[in-house]
Amino acid sequence: MQTRFAPEHLADPAMASSEAVIRKCVHCGFCTATCPTYVLLGDELDSPRGRIYLMKEMLENDRDPTPEVVKHIDRCLSCLSCMTTCPSGVNYMHLVDHARAYIAERYTRPWPDRFFRALLASLLPYPNRFRLALRLAKLARPLSAAIPSWSALKPLQAMLAIAPSRTPRPVPAIDAPVAGARGRVALMGGCAEPVLRPEFRAAAIRMLNRAGYDVAFAPGEGCCGALVHHMGREDGALAAARRNVDAWTRLIGERLDAIITTTSGCGTTIKDYGFMLRNDPSYAQKAATVSALAKDISEFLDQSGLPPARERGVKVAYHPACSLQHGQKVTEAPKRLLVAAGYQVQVPADAHLCCGSAGTYNILQPDIANQLGDRKVATLNRLSADVIATGNIGCAMQIGQRTETPVVHIVELLDWATGGPVPTALSHLQEGNSLCTD
């Protein structure tokens, strides 16, 4: 696509990067077929091609964002399905991330929107605050019917609906060495996942130990920054990236084979730290090293080898998280591992489409997220599986609240098959069911 950015604008590295991305787009429209919001809404401006046009006009002409532009950019899930489809190699992720930061800097949102975004940014990245908020949400849920049905309050209704009925006991982030280790990995502690489903971390530690790896947690590590990054809060995202780069660099100096993530949304962001901090001379090289070491747990186990497994006779519906299949291009490893572990694996027909979780999207855009979630669960339920497996906490929560089928992390099933306990979500099957007997 032809561009006409002023030279003084291209002196800004972020603007120069976005201009290069836009020039790659040939407006072929292949992306529209795999864009969840376009498939759902049928509006060209809610497709990657339409959004690229809107972003080009805004950035190229140094215009303040209009409510119409903001509406369509906000509706983007950042699922990155368009990047998988695009034949021209358009890095839509970097372009829309820049546009979100540009909007955050130059657009004044209505005060309810500002309030809920600030609330999410102050709670979700901090496990203790988030845990307390969930307990308060449980108390407030009976009052949700009394909340006025104003569009400005939909995020509040969504938060109360999403909050689980119970807050699980946390699993501590304690280093777990193993005798005769073949290597050492850092396991990311995370923020939302250990609060909502701490059993994911416990299964990951057992699985990595069983595979022969010492597991270490980096002191000082925190949220990866993805949650605020996708809200356009660039300073907060970069601060989170620098903090984590510092924490993991200390471990790298003590020998580290990989930085493992069990939440694919985090993994996509960490693998992009090198790009995010490319213009910071104090962090560019360190960030690139961290990004190179980052691996999803399924990616790592597929490369390092799975310990001997026992077939469980369980039929698994695998839901590939967008951040894993589109963001990290990890597509076959999770399925390959599940099959190697003795599971019968099926994938829904719409596996390429987002479930509607997308970080804070199901709170800030609940109407679209609910439609996408219902659509995704309908295709998963048609598989009549014993369990649904995924690799991202957001997907697990979005799908889990819509189906009676248990939803687990892939690592829980791998842990079980190789000698670990029955996944918590499958504990109701433990007694009187041959699927769960050893």
Side-chain angles (χ1 to χ4, degrees):
M1 183 189 301
Q2 186 176 13
T3 62
R4 294 185 177 86
F5 283 74
E8 58 268 25
H9 293 156
L10 294 179
D12 174 9
M15 198 68 75
S17 173
S18 289
E19 192 265 352
V21 172
I22 293 169
R23 286 178 59 192
K24 280 192 171 184
C25 177
V26 296
H27 266 207
C28 65
F30 285 6
C31 57
T32 60
T34 58
C35 174
T37 51
Y38 181 75
V39 170
L40 191 66
L41 303 173
D43 187 336
E44 172 73 14
L45 296 181
D46 285 316
S47 73
R49 181 170 64 181
R51 291 187 181 107
I52 288 174
Y53 175 77
L54 292 175
M55 289 185 281
K56 174 184 180 293
E57 290 298 299
M58 177 179 69
L59 298 174
E60 186 176 60
N61 296 292
D62 195 31
R63 291 175 181 165
D64 287 337
T66 65
E68 183 72 5
V69 169
V70 173
K71 177 181 75 173
H72 293 293
I73 301 303
D74 282 353
R75 284 181 178 175
C76 174
L77 294 133
S78 284
C79 70
L80 310 181
S81 180
C82 55
M83 288 178 59
T84 296
T85 309
C86 180
S88 302
V90 173
N91 195 315
Y92 180 87
M93 178 176 75
H94 290 161
L95 176 60
V96 77
D97 285 346
H98 177 213
R100 293 190 199 279
Y102 184 95
I103 288 169
E105 183 179 351
R106 299 182 57 164
Y107 179 73
T108 302
R109 294 178 179 274
W111 74 261
D113 196 9
R114 296 201 306 273
F115 170 77
F116 285 117
R117 286 169 176 268
L119 181 65
L120 292 171
S122 66
L123 291 178
L124 294 184
Y126 307 97
N128 290 335
R129 298 182 198 174
F130 185 35
R131 190 174 289 108
L132 176 60
L134 290 180
R135 289 170 181 160
L136 294 175
K138 180 181 177 181
L139 297 175
R141 188 181 290 109
L143 304 175
S144 59
I147 298 174
S149 56
W150 303 334
S151 60
L153 294 180
K154 284 183 178 180
L156 177 59
Q157 295 170 326
M159 283 189 277
L160 293 177
I162 291 169
S165 58
R166 56 178 292 272
T167 305
R169 181 177 300 175
V171 172
I174 300 175
D175 289 0
V178 62
R182 60 192 283 204
R184 181 171 180 257
V185 298
L187 181 61
M188 183 173 187
C191 51
E193 183 194 274
V195 175
L196 295 167
R197 297 290 294 270
E199 61 268 30
F200 291 3
R201 173 190 288 175
I205 294 171
R206 290 191 300 266
M207 190 69 235
L208 290 165
N209 278 171
R210 199 173 299 119
Y213 289 90
D214 288 339
V215 177
F217 291 90
E221 174 232 290
C223 173
C224 69
L227 291 170
V228 293
H229 190 44
H230 297 316
M231 287 194 281
R233 294 172 173 253
E234 187 176 29
D235 289 344
L238 294 180
R242 291 187 183 100
R243 180 189 60 241
N244 288 340
V245 167
D246 284 338
W248 286 320
T249 297
R250 288 190 288 270
L251 288 185
I252 292 170
E254 303 167 9
R255 186 205 167 191
L256 201 64
D257 295 293
I259 298 167
I260 305 297
T261 59
T262 51
T263 296
S264 59
C266 300
T268 300
T269 298
I270 295 165
K271 288 182 177 182
D272 204 44
Y273 278 180
F275 178 83
M276 292 168 64
L277 295 172
R278 68 197 184 282
N279 297 312
D280 186 334
S282 299
Y283 280 89
Q285 185 55 54
K286 293 189 293 184
T289 299
V290 164
S291 291
L293 282 172
K295 291 185 182 297
D296 183 79
I297 192 164
S298 64
E299 180 184 17
F300 181 77
L301 291 173
D302 185 55
Q303 294 170 356
S304 63
L306 194 68
R310 177 177 176 180
E311 184 174 341
R312 297 293 181 178
V314 173
K315 185 177 177 183
V316 179
Y318 172 61
H319 164 72
C322 294
S323 46
L324 190 58
Q325 63 172 329
H326 304 309
Q328 300 184 49
K329 308 302 182 190
V330 178
T331 57
E332 299 305 313
K335 294 179 285 184
R336 194 158 46 230
L337 286 169
L338 288 169
V339 170
Y343 294 104
Q344 304 165 36
V345 181
Q346 291 184 296
V347 179
D350 64 345
H352 62 288
L353 290 178
C354 184
C355 69
S357 172
T360 59
Y361 191 93
N362 55 356
I363 295 174
L364 297 174
Q365 298 285 334
D367 291 340
I368 296 174
N370 287 337
Q371 292 180 70
L372 292 173
D374 292 343
R375 176 177 179 153
K376 176 62 67 176
V377 167
T379 61
L380 286 166
N381 285 343
R382 281 198 285 271
L383 299 178
S384 301
D386 300 308
V387 61
I388 297 168
T390 188
N392 191 57
I393 181 61
C395 302
M397 300 303 294
Q398 175 82 342
I399 293 169
Q401 69 177 147
R402 291 174 163 77
T403 181
E404 296 298 317
T405 306
V407 182
V408 301
H409 195 290
I410 177 179
V411 76
E412 292 185 277
L413 293 178
L414 299 178
D415 175 45
W416 180 30
T418 56
V422 178
T424 303
L426 298 178
S427 58
H428 64 287
L429 301 175
Q430 190 163 10
E431 294 184 8
N433 190 321
S434 61
L435 298 182
C436 296
T437 57
D438 287 316

